Amino acid sequence: MNSKVTVFQFYSILILTRLLTTLTYIPEYTEDITASDKMILTLFCIIFGTLIYIPVYILNKKYGGENQKTFGTFNKIKAVIFSIVFFYFSVSTVSRLDLFAGTVVFPETDAKFLLLLVVIFCCYSAYLGIEPIARSAVIFIAPILLSLSFIFFALWKKTDLLNLTPPFYNGVLPVVKASLNSTGRTVEYAVIAALFPFVTGNHKKGFLVWRISQSVITAIVFFFEGTILGAFSDAQLFPVYAIASMARFSFFRGLGAIITGLWIICAFLKTSLLIFLQAKLISEAFGVNKITVIAVTGVLLALVCMLISGSVERFNIIDTSSVKFVLILISVPILAIVELIMRRRRKCAKQ
């Protein structure tokens, strides 16, 4: 892949893809902490995320200009591991959208047709490449953030600060655990590791702006969720949609439809990006045609999501925090550290 995207385009994509995770989160991984602690959680996420980013940044700043195919076997292993990561999160993203459509939007209708449409359009978008995805993110980011701000403005009068509790109400450990789970659900760290050499601009500044802005957005979401729903938020399958449905502004009644639209756009961008990355990694590492990889990925994605479709139990089996913890918090930094060591040894051997 010789295509390049700017730092602004790249992190615009990541803001929207991570926003999807925030808006569609299910309270399972934060069930042991209060609304106040959910806001504090975002600070811990910055720390854990930065620790993942550091070895990736050092690797690419020191050796980013070198031939990325130097270590043939290692690159194939890395391509397979990252492809598994991206496929797993693709399944999670599409299945979560299917779960939302089947339980909230169309509870009496089979959502499999919507699922198939999403996969087909995402595969086509992945085929077009990273530039159209990046341009789409730049176009959508302002309207999406403005729409979200409008919903929060409409909800302001419904907030009640009495629903908040003192910080670390149940102790520090549950907050740290929830922060690790939240970080593990951030596939964007793997995306950064895979696309770092193909992004032009100030990476460090772009990462800091993305990570801080994402934490601020998440904290605001948790604030409104906590001050409006209180402890009742843990009983909601999709609490953000629940509070959006309560929003009222002038003649607008129930803004859940806006949230639904935001989810669909972000899910489309995220799934397209993840399918594109799988095709890029596998085609470059093994010399397989990109179209073939996209087609196979699309078929497998549709089949797996159809098996999960319509069942909260099956979704919970697939979408587990422990698996995501291993895929993101362990595999991403370890792969970067191993490659960094290998490149340093080769450099020393040449000297």
Side-chain angles (χ1 to χ4, degrees):
M1 172 185 145
N2 297 318
S3 304
K4 298 276 187 178
V5 292
T6 65
V7 164
F8 176 73
Q9 290 175 321
F10 181 61
Y11 284 103
S12 293
I13 301 173
L14 298 194
I15 285 175
L16 296 184
T17 57
R18 188 58 180 82
L19 178 63
L20 176 70
T21 306
T22 300
L23 297 180
T24 61
Y25 98 98
I26 296 173
E28 176 190 2
Y29 74 90
T30 57
E31 61 185 357
D32 295 330
I33 63 175
T34 63
S36 301
D37 289 341
K38 288 178 184 179
M39 290 185 280
I40 296 173
L41 167 154
T42 60
L43 298 176
F44 285 91
C45 288
I46 293 176
I47 297 171
F48 294 137
T50 303
L51 292 176
I52 296 173
Y53 176 75
I54 287 173
V56 174
Y57 178 80
I58 293 174
L59 170 65
N60 284 278
K61 291 304 289 185
K62 284 184 173 291
Y63 305 104
E66 296 184 8
N67 185 359
Q68 298 296 310
K69 299 181 181 179
T70 303
F71 305 103
T73 302
F74 176 77
N75 280 333
K76 289 179 180 179
I77 293 172
K78 186 170 73 170
V80 170
I81 292 174
F82 273 132
S83 294
I84 292 172
V85 171
F86 296 139
F87 182 77
Y88 178 86
F89 277 89
S90 298
V91 170
S92 176
T93 300
V94 176
S95 296
R96 191 177 294 256
L97 182 64
D98 171 74
L99 180 65
F100 169 71
T103 57
V104 178
V105 184
F106 310 113
E108 305 298 328
T109 307
D110 192 342
K112 289 188 176 65
F113 180 69
L114 173 64
L115 186 153
L116 283 174
L117 282 179
V118 169
V119 173
I120 290 171
F121 281 117
C122 288
C123 286
Y124 178 69
S125 178
Y127 165 73
L128 294 178
I130 186 66
E131 296 98 329
I133 298 173
R135 287 195 295 268
S136 299
V138 171
I139 291 171
F140 283 121
I141 188 168
I144 287 176
L145 294 180
L146 285 173
S147 299
L148 200 59
S149 300
F150 174 70
I151 292 173
F152 291 148
F153 178 77
L155 286 168
W156 181 254
K157 290 184 179 180
K158 294 184 178 294
T159 60
D160 185 355
L161 296 180
L162 293 176
N163 285 325
L164 298 178
T165 58
F168 303 114
Y169 188 76
N170 296 320
V172 177
L173 188 59
V175 180
V176 173
K177 179 182 176 183
S179 303
L180 289 170
N181 287 336
S182 179
T183 305
R185 293 174 180 273
T186 308
V187 69
E188 287 73 19
Y189 294 117
V191 174
I192 291 171
L195 283 180
F196 196 108
F198 306 100
V199 179
T200 61
N202 190 327
H203 285 269
K204 189 161 52 175
K205 181 180 178 181
F207 173 82
L208 290 175
V209 170
W210 167 69
R211 186 57 270 183
I212 293 172
S213 63
Q214 189 56 56
S215 292
V216 170
I217 293 171
T218 305
I220 293 172
V221 170
F222 284 146
F223 169 80
F224 279 94
E225 177 203 321
T227 55
I228 294 173
L229 296 178
F232 186 62
S233 65
D234 291 337
Q236 301 295 310
L237 184 59
F238 295 104
V240 178
Y241 178 82
I243 61 172
S245 299
M246 298 167 60
R248 301 286 188 274
F249 183 78
S250 185
F251 55 86
F252 294 101
R253 293 292 182 269
L255 302 181
I258 295 179
I259 282 288
T260 302
L262 302 186
W263 287 7
I264 292 173
I265 294 171
C266 292
F268 173 78
L269 290 172
K270 186 170 187 174
T271 308
S272 300
L273 176 65
L274 296 180
I275 294 174
F276 163 78
L277 286 169
Q278 292 169 69
K280 169 189 175 300
L281 293 170
I282 296 300
S283 62
E284 290 182 357
F286 297 93
V288 183
N289 184 272
K290 186 179 77 170
I291 299 177
T292 302
V293 179
I294 291 174
V296 171
T297 301
V299 170
L300 290 176
L301 179 59
L303 288 174
V304 173
C305 290
M306 281 189 160
L307 290 174
I308 301 170
S309 179
S311 171
V312 178
E313 291 76 17
R314 288 195 294 269
F315 175 80
N316 287 335
I317 291 173
I318 295 296
D319 192 76
T320 58
S321 297
S322 57
V323 173
K324 292 183 175 181
F325 178 90
V326 172
L327 293 178
I328 301 301
L329 275 94
I330 295 180
S331 66
V332 173
I334 284 182
L335 284 172
I337 291 170
V338 169
E339 184 171 355
L340 186 59
I341 293 171
M342 292 172 66
R343 290 188 179 278
R344 280 181 175 174
R345 286 181 176 177
R346 171 163 292 193
K347 185 177 180 179
C348 291
K350 288 182 179 179
Q351 293 175 349

